Amino acid sequence: HRISGLLIKLHNDYLCRHLQKLIGERVLKFYSYSRILFFLCLLFLVSKSYAQSERKAWNRLQDGKWESAQRLLQKSLQKDTANLEATYSLANWYFTPANPDFQIDSAYRYVNKSIKNYDSLSARDKDRVHKFPIDSLILHNLKAAIDSAAFARAKQINTEESYLQFMKSFPTALQLNNAIELRDEVSFLEALKLNTHQSFQSYLLRYPQSHRA
């Protein structure tokens, strides 16, 4: 009887330990799953909060609330420098003529950053930003419009320096060849005004490929 009782006790102890182990593993798994679910929910809420912030900034931009829109967008970029919605919105912010801080060069900087950010997105994230809406065509159309505005600015100034600055700052613009021709022409007219051997020689040295050479 003593041996039988001892065996029963050992068996019960084994069952208790095994049961505790199973319960412990299940509790641990449940805890792990709970943490994963918590972080996924948190990530979703943060992502949704960001999207709402950029949407609010975009709406304020459309309403002409420049300072308020800029503050929201700068705050978004402080949290995430690669925030595509924020960089795209800032490109538009700087490229809206009614904005007192309208600035072509800053708009160009932000649209290029937006294109870079978009190209680095996963297919899933591209689907997400399409709802804003942002896609490759929209970004490149905005860039082309900014290029055109920069070229118009250079033509308005119409000096050798203005065309050189355009060519340096907007090297991928479709108007690049036109800028080269206008640079050569305005430089030749300046040499013609001086009408000296030195002025023509300087021109030929600077632009030997010019049709005036």
Side-chain angles (χ1 to χ4, degrees):
H1 290 292
R2 291 180 63 186
I3 293 174
S4 177
L6 182 60
L7 289 173
I8 291 171
K9 183 176 182 303
L10 289 172
H11 180 67
N12 289 338
D13 289 344
Y14 170 77
L15 288 176
C16 287
R17 284 195 301 271
H18 186 62
L19 185 60
Q20 287 173 351
K21 184 179 179 182
L22 285 174
I23 293 172
E25 288 177 351
R26 290 185 179 182
V27 169
L28 183 61
K29 285 182 180 179
F30 176 77
Y31 177 69
S32 299
Y33 291 151
S34 297
R35 288 187 65 186
I36 292 171
L37 184 60
F38 170 77
F39 284 117
L40 285 175
C41 290
L42 183 63
L43 184 62
F44 172 76
L45 290 173
V46 169
S47 176
K48 187 175 181 181
S49 174
Y50 282 177
Q52 289 176 345
S53 179
E54 282 86 59
R55 175 58 61 188
K56 184 184 293 184
W58 180 263
N59 291 337
R60 291 183 182 181
L61 188 162
Q62 301 300 312
D63 292 337
K65 298 177 181 178
W66 312 114
E67 292 183 9
S68 176
Q70 187 186 36
R71 279 197 302 270
L72 285 172
L73 294 171
Q74 293 292 0
K75 187 180 292 186
S76 293
L77 285 179
Q78 287 174 2
K79 295 176 181 177
D80 179 9
T81 57
N83 185 317
L84 176 57
E85 292 94 329
T87 56
Y88 171 71
S89 297
L90 273 171
N92 281 275
W93 189 87
Y94 279 110
F95 196 57
T96 303
N99 182 2
D101 291 316
F102 172 83
Q103 194 176 78
I104 292 172
D105 300 282
S106 293
Y108 185 74
R109 184 173 72 253
Y110 278 109
V111 77
N112 278 330
K113 190 170 184 180
S114 297
I115 291 171
K116 182 180 178 181
N117 289 343
Y118 181 82
D119 290 342
S120 67
L121 291 179
S122 65
R124 182 177 180 181
D125 283 333
K126 285 181 179 178
D127 287 338
R128 175 180 59 79
V129 298
H130 287 169
K131 298 174 185 177
F132 194 75
I134 303 172
D135 60 28
S136 182
L137 182 61
I138 289 173
L139 291 172
H140 284 281
N141 282 344
L142 177 59
K143 180 179 179 297
I146 294 170
D147 287 343
S148 294
F151 183 57
R153 178 181 63 182
K155 286 201 300 180
Q156 185 175 16
I157 299 170
N158 197 38
T159 62
E160 178 183 8
E161 181 59 33
S162 71
Y163 293 118
L164 288 172
Q165 187 61 44
F166 171 78
M167 292 159 58
K168 179 182 177 182
S169 301
F170 302 85
T172 60
L174 294 176
Q175 300 85 358
L176 197 60
N177 288 334
N178 290 336
I180 292 172
E181 291 177 4
L182 290 170
R183 175 207 64 186
D184 293 351
E185 189 65 19
V186 75
S187 300
F188 178 77
L189 291 175
E190 286 298 317
L192 196 61
K193 283 181 184 178
L194 295 173
N195 198 26
T196 64
H197 173 73
Q198 289 82 4
S199 65
F200 287 115
Q201 185 178 37
S202 174
Y203 173 79
L204 292 173
L205 287 173
R206 293 200 311 278
Y207 310 119
Q209 302 302 320
S210 168
H211 71 283
R212 294 285 191 177

